Amino acid sequence: EVQLVESGGGLLQPGGSLRLSCAASGFTFNNYWMHWVRQAPGKGLAWVSRINGDGDGSSTRYADAVKGRFTISRDNAKNTIYLQLNNVRAEDTAVYYCVRGLRSGATFYFDFWGQGTLVTVSS
Amino acid sequence: SSELTQPPSVSVSPGQTARITCSGEAMPKKYAYWYQHKSGQAPILIIYEDTKRPSGIPERFSGSTSGTTATLIITGAQVEDEADYHCYSTDINGNHVFGGGSKLTVL
């Protein structure tokens, strides 16, 4: 059974830093692209970042809203991905979901999601 | 990036057919995906590649497309189908795009 378990969320002040983790199990982790998707209060889902499978995690991509502030990484030995949040802003307040990705031709999509971890940015 | 437009809410009585639309410029060229999201739970993929249903998803869920609009159809909606439904696709530049979500009420 595929499981994705996020952790690391919490309350932090604007300008602060936090690292989210996502522990994966039930599938061959390094074969899959992994993503972070977030949902701000009262808003829709928004894609945040992705990191390639194929073992080396060398290909990453970010939404414009977080580029230069957030960093995605993975540790295949631990079946875990991370999202380092730096210089956070109030608008980064959201539930952050760890998501497994698939490709259909040129389209990436998501087949399994974690339960999410809440990040609140407030002074 | 391009937008995907969904109605904020849809209401039906139990047993009726619910239709939730998702409109976007890139729809004719890109697949649509649908996710069911109940409060406090992980979102679930219910339709992929416009019309396909993953294993374990009830047959009452189906998808269709026409021009720039994808539609999620729930035939014989049940009370347990109450949830937020999100469409997803990619735009012509490969950006990941979600619709704003539609709250389905069955009562």
Side-chain angles (χ1 to χ4, degrees), chain A residues 24-25 29 41 44 50 66 69 75 77 81 85 96 101 107-108 118:
Chain A
S25 61
F29 179 70
R50 73 176 189 228
V66 308
R69 300 186 299 119
D75 183 338
I81 65 165
L85 286 62
Y96 285 74
T107 302
F108 285 96
L118 176 63

Side-chain angles (χ1 to χ4, degrees), chain B residues 82-99:
Chain B
E82 282 202 342
D84 292 330
Y85 290 87
H86 302 268
C87 65
Y88 163 82
S89 187
T90 53
D91 66 17
I92 58 174
N93 297 313
N95 296 309
H96 308 272
V97 184
F98 286 94

